Amino acid sequence: MEKGFAQLVKYTHEIYWNQCNRHFIWGLVSGGSEVKACVFGPNFLLASQFMDVTSTAGRLELIRFLVNWSFCEPSKLGYDPAIRFNWKYWCFTIDMVNSNGPMPAQTTYYLREIVVIAERVFGRHTRCFVVGEQPPSLDENSDNSGDILIKDAWPEVSGSAEDDMRDESKLLERVSNGLAGRSEFNGLYPKFLGGGRMQIQNAHGDSVDETTRTVLGETVWAQLGDLPLRAHMRIAMSGVGEPLKTIKSIYELVVVIYDVMRCHMGILKHCQILHRDISEANILVRRDNAGVHGMLIDFDHSIDITDEGYVKRTERTGTRPFMSINNLEGELTKRTALDDWEGIIYIFCWLGTFGWNRATQPSGSVSKMAIASWNDYDEMMNANSKRRDMDSSRIFTEITKGFNPNIPHISAFKKFVNGLRAVLIDDHDDPNMRGAIFDKNIISEESDTDDFLREEYITRPDPFALVIFLVNLK
């Protein structure tokens, strides 16, 4: 039976991976004369009692189950009724039910490309689709690229949609409104078009939010104890980019990150929203006639800093190698922009060591390097490793010494990353405050940074000192 369950989990993973329209998945597992039915959801696995097929009652129960299965509508089998295959245009169509934003109440888009797939059995099951408003042309020479991104996920939520402070659609709408008219941020963030919680019909025919509670029904939900509530969210936004791994040089990496953090601080200043999940996956690259640019995405961990309760949210959010010490430790210390800036240091160190594509990967083993512990599954061990490595310039230099020497301009990049850490941590008014943004971010001309970070090149609150660095690399 254990081998059967393991195989079922493997098949479930493959179904989520390959089918973009699956919410939850049914399965049967058998061992000897016993059969058990299972259903997998975003954060649950439910199983029936064993059905003994050697007994009349067991066989009857299994037959009844299979008959009910065969007559179920697709949505009861775990298929998303709002994502359907269009045989005429040979593509999927995706319906958007708009709770917020400027879109009509319902809009249908035509799928062009799947850029993010649900790659885990449990979790948010995040998928991202590049779509177009018009059907694709069947002429293979036509440009069928899309310019709209749809994000589909099952995040944890608190209560109703009206009271949920973590609703990404509301936060992204607030960002779009707060930065409207500020051309300096154009293209650096996805602009909200519409979306919110998806709806389903309950047993009485009423439209309700599609959540794990409404999917399972009140009777089953009441037996699950403190299982966190998740809701089906779908958001449409304009702005499509490429993964960070598509950068072509250290120069492009710094330009992209510079854009992203300039946007990050603009959102904090004008929208009072702190991102809280700065990671490699949440930074995109855009290219146009003016060159390369960065884009900050994924606001589902963001918080409204005007909400008095946000300080007490101690949940750990983000990707392990890039999570701040404060985040890993889950303390009550106030989360600030410094936590996100700390994540930028980790991104630079990670990519400087491990590279971003096959050409920049190290040739030797890196498993014994100190930086490898930044990916430790144990949050406290991970935090302790980062505290050790970030404690002083001398210790941190051991991290940057491990940068891949085969990456062009890596020496200048080491100097830049060492200087960035010095600005963010050593020059903080209170070195013990790892969770509070600083005011002092100027390195004096007498510093040992050899004019790499001089006062005139730093514009508060941006500690990049990018001008000299870019000149050195061009």
Side-chain angles (χ1 to χ4, degrees):
M1 185 65 75
E2 289 183 2
K3 289 183 178 180
F5 268 115
Q7 191 175 41
L8 190 61
V9 171
K10 178 183 177 182
Y11 288 161
T12 299
H13 176 267
E14 292 177 354
I15 291 172
Y16 278 131
W17 181 282
N18 290 289
Q19 298 182 14
C20 66
N21 60 342
R22 292 303 289 267
H23 282 171
F24 52 92
I25 296 168
W26 287 92
L28 287 176
V29 60
S30 62
S33 62
E34 295 181 319
V35 179
K36 179 174 283 195
C38 304
V39 59
F40 292 80
N43 61 339
F44 60 81
L45 166 57
L46 303 180
S48 69
Q49 298 293 323
F50 282 114
M51 293 173 277
D52 184 0
V53 296
T54 62
S55 68
T56 302
R59 290 193 297 271
L60 180 61
E61 190 174 1
L62 177 60
I63 292 171
R64 183 184 296 114
F65 180 81
L66 294 175
V67 169
N68 287 334
W69 235 3
S70 65
F71 283 100
C72 270
E73 57 266 36
S75 62
K76 298 295 185 182
L77 295 176
Y79 291 93
D80 187 342
I83 301 180
R84 302 175 303 279
F85 192 78
N86 186 306
W87 293 96
K88 179 180 179 180
Y89 296 107
W90 205 250
C91 71
F92 280 96
T93 60
I94 303 175
D95 293 336
M96 283 289 307
V97 176
N98 184 35
S99 303
N100 309 300
M103 290 194 326
Q106 180 165 323
T107 307
T108 297
Y109 292 101
Y110 295 85
L111 179 63
R112 299 294 197 268
E113 181 183 3
I114 303 174
V115 292
V116 176
I117 57 177
E119 55 186 2
R120 296 180 181 179
V121 175
F122 301 110
R124 292 171 174 265
H125 288 171
T126 300
R127 298 178 173 100
C128 291
F129 310 103
V130 176
V131 300
E133 294 182 277
Q134 301 299 323
S137 171
L138 299 180
D139 182 355
E140 61 181 17
N141 296 318
S142 298
D143 180 12
N144 282 322
S145 60
D147 56 359
I148 295 173
L149 185 81
I150 289 180
K151 179 179 179 180
D152 186 280
W154 286 78
E156 289 187 12
V157 297
S158 53
S160 65
E162 293 76 17
D163 301 326
D164 188 8
M165 298 294 292
R166 298 186 291 183
D167 187 330
E168 185 182 11
S169 66
K170 294 179 181 177
L171 292 170
L172 190 54
E173 182 180 25
R174 184 164 153 184
V175 168
S176 297
N177 292 337
L179 297 185
R182 300 184 183 276
S183 59
E184 66 270 29
F185 301 116
N186 284 348
L188 304 186
Y189 66 96
K191 292 187 178 180
F192 179 74
L193 296 178
R197 292 192 189 184
M198 296 296 289
Q199 302 278 304
I200 59 172
Q201 285 191 334
N202 61 17
H204 305 290
D206 301 321
S207 293
V208 295
D209 289 344
E210 186 175 14
T211 66
T212 46
R213 181 172 184 169
T214 54
V215 166
L216 293 173
E218 292 297 334
T219 302
V220 175
W221 183 258
Q223 302 175 41
L224 299 181
D226 297 327
L227 186 71
L229 181 67
R230 289 180 180 265
H232 185 198
M233 301 286 297
R234 187 169 292 165
I235 305 171
M237 58 197 86
S238 64
V240 177
E242 300 175 319
L244 186 58
K245 65 182 180 181
T246 60
I247 56 171
K248 300 177 181 178
S249 65
I250 286 288
Y251 168 78
E252 288 195 351
L253 171 62
V254 176
V255 170
V256 167
I257 299 295
Y258 177 81
D259 278 348
V260 162
M261 292 312 289
R262 182 161 59 90
C263 180
H264 172 281
M265 297 304 287
I267 291 171
L268 184 62
K269 177 180 178 180
H270 300 295
C271 311
Q272 291 75 53
I273 290 174
L274 182 64
H275 189 276
R276 287 209 315 163
D277 189 15
I278 298 296
S279 68
E280 182 182 0
N282 292 337
I283 296 172
L284 296 184
V285 178
R286 291 192 311 104
R287 299 180 186 277
D288 57 25
N289 294 334
V292 65
H293 311 279
M295 176 185 286
L296 179 62
I297 64 169
D298 199 353
F299 290 81
D300 55 1
H301 288 307
S302 300
I303 52 175
D304 176 358
I305 64 171
T306 64
D307 173 20
E308 295 181 358
Y310 91 93
V311 177
K312 298 180 181 179
R313 294 181 188 171
T314 60
E315 74 271 23
R316 297 179 174 93
T317 58
T319 307
R320 283 191 306 276
F322 316 121
M323 291 169 65
S324 71
I325 295 168
N326 188 14
N327 193 355
L328 286 164
E329 292 176 341
E331 300 293 341
L332 289 174
T333 308
K334 182 178 180 180
R335 303 288 173 85
T336 72
L338 184 57
D339 291 298
D340 287 352
W341 277 106
E342 189 183 329
I344 290 297
I345 297 177
Y346 300 144
I347 290 176
F348 279 147
C349 290
W350 199 262
L351 297 183
T353 303
F354 299 104
W356 53 87
N357 56 28
R358 182 171 296 180
T360 55
Q361 289 176 355
S363 55
S365 174
V366 294
S367 60
K368 295 184 178 180
M369 288 185 175
I371 194 174
S373 62
W374 292 5
N375 199 30
D376 199 302
Y377 278 92
D378 186 303
E379 287 90 354
M380 294 309 297
M381 291 182 64
N382 192 327
N384 289 337
S385 297
K386 288 178 177 175
R387 278 197 180 278
R388 173 200 66 207
D389 298 333
M390 300 289 284
D391 184 65
S392 68
S393 295
R394 179 183 60 82
I395 297 176
F396 183 71
T397 301
E398 296 300 314
I399 295 292
T400 56
K401 280 181 180 178
F403 284 7
N404 184 358
N406 298 321
I407 298 176
H409 306 296
I410 199 66
S411 295
F413 187 58
K414 286 182 185 178
K415 196 173 185 181
F416 171 69
V417 176
N418 286 330
L420 181 61
R421 181 210 153 274
V423 169
L424 289 171
I425 296 178
D426 291 346
D427 287 355
H428 194 297
D429 289 334
D430 183 354
N432 294 317
M433 291 180 63
R434 291 294 186 258
I437 193 63
F438 54 92
D439 292 320
K440 175 184 169 187
N441 61 353
I442 306 296
I443 289 185
S444 68
E445 294 186 40
E446 290 75 32
S447 169
D448 60 0
T449 54
D450 298 328
D451 288 340
F452 185 70
L453 293 173
R454 289 176 53 200
E455 179 172 341
E456 59 262 40
Y457 300 120
I458 301 177
T459 303
R460 189 175 300 156
D462 180 359
F464 260 71
L466 193 62
V467 176
I468 286 294
F469 180 64
L470 296 184
V471 170
N472 286 344
L473 288 187
K474 281 187 175 180

CSV table of all heavy atoms in Angstrom, one decimal, residues 10-33:
chain,number,residue,atom,x,y,z
A,10,LYS,N,3.4,10.6,-7.1
A,10,LYS,CA,4.2,10.9,-8.3
A,10,LYS,C,3.3,11.2,-9.5
A,10,LYS,O,3.5,12.2,-10.2
A,10,LYS,CB,5.0,9.6,-8.7
A,10,LYS,CG,5.9,9.8,-9.9
A,10,LYS,CD,6.7,8.6,-10.3
A,10,LYS,CE,7.4,8.7,-11.6
A,10,LYS,NZ,8.2,7.5,-11.9
A,11,TYR,N,2.2,10.4,-9.7
A,11,TYR,CA,1.3,10.7,-10.8
A,11,TYR,C,0.6,12.0,-10.6
A,11,TYR,O,0.3,12.8,-11.6
A,11,TYR,CB,0.3,9.6,-10.9
A,11,TYR,CG,0.8,8.3,-11.5
A,11,TYR,CD1,0.1,7.1,-11.3
A,11,TYR,CD2,2.0,8.2,-12.2
A,11,TYR,CE1,0.7,5.9,-11.8
A,11,TYR,CE2,2.5,7.1,-12.7
A,11,TYR,CZ,1.8,5.9,-12.5
A,11,TYR,OH,2.3,4.7,-13.0
A,12,THR,N,0.2,12.3,-9.4
A,12,THR,CA,-0.4,13.6,-9.1
A,12,THR,C,0.5,14.8,-9.5
A,12,THR,O,0.0,15.8,-10.1
A,12,THR,CB,-0.8,13.7,-7.6
A,12,THR,OG1,-1.7,12.6,-7.3
A,12,THR,CG2,-1.4,15.0,-7.3
A,13,HIS,N,1.7,14.7,-9.1
A,13,HIS,CA,2.7,15.7,-9.5
A,13,HIS,C,2.8,15.9,-11.0
A,13,HIS,O,2.8,17.0,-11.5
A,13,HIS,CB,4.1,15.3,-8.9
A,13,HIS,CG,5.2,16.2,-9.3
A,13,HIS,ND1,6.0,16.0,-10.4
A,13,HIS,CD2,5.6,17.4,-8.8
A,13,HIS,CE1,6.8,17.0,-10.5
A,13,HIS,NE2,6.6,17.9,-9.5
A,14,GLU,N,2.8,14.8,-11.7
A,14,GLU,CA,2.9,14.8,-13.2
A,14,GLU,C,1.6,15.5,-13.8
A,14,GLU,O,1.7,16.2,-14.8
A,14,GLU,CB,3.1,13.4,-13.8
A,14,GLU,CG,4.5,12.9,-13.4
A,14,GLU,CD,4.7,11.5,-13.9
A,14,GLU,OE1,3.7,10.9,-14.5
A,14,GLU,OE2,5.8,10.9,-13.8
A,15,ILE,N,0.4,15.2,-13.2
A,15,ILE,CA,-0.8,15.8,-13.7
A,15,ILE,C,-0.8,17.3,-13.5
A,15,ILE,O,-1.1,18.0,-14.4
A,15,ILE,CB,-2.0,15.1,-13.0
A,15,ILE,CG1,-2.2,13.6,-13.5
A,15,ILE,CG2,-3.3,15.9,-13.3
A,15,ILE,CD1,-3.2,12.9,-12.7
A,16,TYR,N,-0.4,17.7,-12.3
A,16,TYR,CA,-0.4,19.2,-12.1
A,16,TYR,C,0.6,19.8,-13.0
A,16,TYR,O,0.4,20.9,-13.5
A,16,TYR,CB,0.0,19.5,-10.6
A,16,TYR,CG,-1.1,19.4,-9.6
A,16,TYR,CD1,-1.0,18.7,-8.4
A,16,TYR,CD2,-2.3,20.1,-9.8
A,16,TYR,CE1,-2.0,18.6,-7.5
A,16,TYR,CE2,-3.3,20.0,-8.9
A,16,TYR,CZ,-3.2,19.3,-7.8
A,16,TYR,OH,-4.2,19.2,-6.8
A,17,TRP,N,1.7,19.1,-13.3
A,17,TRP,CA,2.8,19.7,-14.1
A,17,TRP,C,2.3,19.8,-15.6
A,17,TRP,O,2.6,20.8,-16.2
A,17,TRP,CB,4.0,18.7,-14.1
A,17,TRP,CG,5.1,19.2,-14.9
A,17,TRP,CD1,5.3,19.0,-16.3
A,17,TRP,CD2,6.3,19.8,-14.4
A,17,TRP,NE1,6.5,19.5,-16.7
A,17,TRP,CE2,7.2,20.0,-15.6
A,17,TRP,CE3,6.8,20.2,-13.2
A,17,TRP,CZ2,8.4,20.6,-15.5
A,17,TRP,CZ3,8.1,20.8,-13.1
A,17,TRP,CH2,8.9,21.0,-14.2
A,18,ASN,N,1.5,18.8,-16.1
A,18,ASN,CA,1.2,18.8,-17.5
A,18,ASN,C,-0.2,19.4,-17.8
A,18,ASN,O,-0.5,19.7,-19.0
A,18,ASN,CB,1.2,17.3,-18.0
A,18,ASN,CG,2.7,16.8,-18.0
A,18,ASN,OD1,3.4,17.2,-18.9
A,18,ASN,ND2,3.0,15.9,-17.2
A,19,GLN,N,-1.1,19.5,-16.8
A,19,GLN,CA,-2.5,19.9,-17.1
A,19,GLN,C,-2.7,21.3,-16.5
A,19,GLN,O,-2.7,21.4,-15.2
A,19,GLN,CB,-3.5,18.9,-16.7
A,19,GLN,CG,-3.3,17.6,-17.4
A,19,GLN,CD,-4.4,16.5,-16.9
A,19,GLN,OE1,-5.4,16.9,-16.3
A,19,GLN,NE2,-4.2,15.3,-17.3
A,20,CYS,N,-2.9,22.3,-17.3
A,20,CYS,CA,-3.0,23.7,-16.8
A,20,CYS,C,-4.3,24.0,-16.2
A,20,CYS,O,-4.5,25.0,-15.6
A,20,CYS,CB,-2.6,24.7,-17.8
A,20,CYS,SG,-3.8,24.7,-19.2
A,21,ASN,N,-5.3,23.0,-16.3
A,21,ASN,CA,-6.7,23.3,-15.9
A,21,ASN,C,-7.1,22.4,-14.7
A,21,ASN,O,-8.3,22.1,-14.6
A,21,ASN,CB,-7.6,23.2,-17.0
A,21,ASN,CG,-7.6,21.8,-17.7
A,21,ASN,OD1,-6.6,21.0,-17.5
A,21,ASN,ND2,-8.6,21.5,-18.5
A,22,ARG,N,-6.1,21.9,-13.9
A,22,ARG,CA,-6.5,21.0,-12.8
A,22,ARG,C,-6.4,21.7,-11.5
A,22,ARG,O,-5.4,22.3,-11.1
A,22,ARG,CB,-5.6,19.8,-12.8
A,22,ARG,CG,-5.8,18.9,-14.0
A,22,ARG,CD,-7.2,18.4,-14.1
A,22,ARG,NE,-7.6,17.4,-13.0
A,22,ARG,CZ,-7.5,16.1,-13.1
A,22,ARG,NH1,-7.0,15.6,-14.3
A,22,ARG,NH2,-7.8,15.3,-12.2
A,23,HIS,N,-7.5,21.7,-10.7
A,23,HIS,CA,-7.6,22.2,-9.4
A,23,HIS,C,-7.2,21.2,-8.3
A,23,HIS,O,-6.4,21.5,-7.4
A,23,HIS,CB,-9.0,22.7,-9.0
A,23,HIS,CG,-9.3,24.0,-9.7
A,23,HIS,ND1,-10.6,24.5,-9.6
A,23,HIS,CD2,-8.6,24.9,-10.3
A,23,HIS,CE1,-10.6,25.7,-10.3
A,23,HIS,NE2,-9.4,25.9,-10.7
A,24,PHE,N,-7.8,20.1,-8.4
A,24,PHE,CA,-7.5,19.0,-7.5
A,24,PHE,C,-7.7,17.7,-8.3
A,24,PHE,O,-8.2,17.7,-9.4
A,24,PHE,CB,-8.5,19.0,-6.3
A,24,PHE,CG,-9.9,19.1,-6.6
A,24,PHE,CD1,-10.7,17.9,-6.7
A,24,PHE,CD2,-10.6,20.3,-6.7
A,24,PHE,CE1,-12.0,18.0,-7.0
A,24,PHE,CE2,-11.9,20.3,-7.0
A,24,PHE,CZ,-12.7,19.2,-7.1
A,25,ILE,N,-7.2,16.6,-7.7
A,25,ILE,CA,-7.0,15.4,-8.4
A,25,ILE,C,-7.5,14.2,-7.6
A,25,ILE,O,-7.1,14.1,-6.4
A,25,ILE,CB,-5.5,15.2,-8.8
A,25,ILE,CG1,-5.1,16.3,-9.8
A,25,ILE,CG2,-5.3,13.8,-9.5
A,25,ILE,CD1,-3.6,16.4,-10.0
A,26,TRP,N,-8.3,13.3,-8.2
A,26,TRP,CA,-8.7,12.1,-7.6
A,26,TRP,C,-7.8,11.0,-7.9
A,26,TRP,O,-7.1,11.0,-8.9
A,26,TRP,CB,-10.1,11.7,-8.1
A,26,TRP,CG,-11.2,12.6,-7.5
A,26,TRP,CD1,-11.7,13.7,-8.1
A,26,TRP,CD2,-12.0,12.4,-6.3
A,26,TRP,NE1,-12.7,14.3,-7.4
A,26,TRP,CE2,-12.9,13.5,-6.3
A,26,TRP,CE3,-11.9,11.5,-5.3
A,26,TRP,CZ2,-13.8,13.6,-5.2
A,26,TRP,CZ3,-12.8,11.6,-4.3
A,26,TRP,CH2,-13.7,12.6,-4.2
A,27,GLY,N,-7.8,10.0,-7.1
A,27,GLY,CA,-7.0,8.8,-7.3
A,27,GLY,C,-7.4,7.6,-6.5
A,27,GLY,O,-8.1,7.7,-5.5
A,28,LEU,N,-7.1,6.4,-7.0
A,28,LEU,CA,-7.3,5.2,-6.3
A,28,LEU,C,-6.0,4.5,-6.0
A,28,LEU,O,-5.1,4.5,-6.8
A,28,LEU,CB,-8.2,4.2,-7.1
A,28,LEU,CG,-9.7,4.6,-7.3
A,28,LEU,CD1,-10.4,3.6,-8.2
A,28,LEU,CD2,-10.4,4.6,-5.9
A,29,VAL,N,-5.9,3.9,-4.8
A,29,VAL,CA,-4.7,3.2,-4.5
A,29,VAL,C,-5.2,1.8,-3.9
A,29,VAL,O,-6.1,1.8,-3.1
A,29,VAL,CB,-3.8,3.9,-3.4
A,29,VAL,CG1,-4.6,4.2,-2.2
A,29,VAL,CG2,-2.5,3.2,-3.2
A,30,SER,N,-4.5,0.7,-4.3
A,30,SER,CA,-4.9,-0.6,-3.9
A,30,SER,C,-3.8,-1.3,-3.3
A,30,SER,O,-2.6,-1.1,-3.8
A,30,SER,CB,-5.6,-1.4,-5.0
A,30,SER,OG,-4.7,-1.6,-6.1
A,31,GLY,N,-4.0,-2.2,-2.4
A,31,GLY,CA,-3.0,-3.1,-1.8
A,31,GLY,C,-3.7,-4.4,-1.5
A,31,GLY,O,-4.5,-4.4,-0.5
A,32,GLY,N,-3.4,-5.5,-2.2
A,32,GLY,CA,-4.1,-6.7,-1.9
A,32,GLY,C,-5.5,-6.6,-2.3
A,32,GLY,O,-5.9,-6.3,-3.4
A,33,SER,N,-6.4,-6.9,-1.3
A,33,SER,CA,-7.8,-6.9,-1.5
A,33,SER,C,-8.5,-5.5,-1.1
A,33,SER,O,-9.7,-5.4,-1.1
A,33,SER,CB,-8.5,-8.0,-0.7
A,33,SER,OG,-8.2,-7.8,0.7
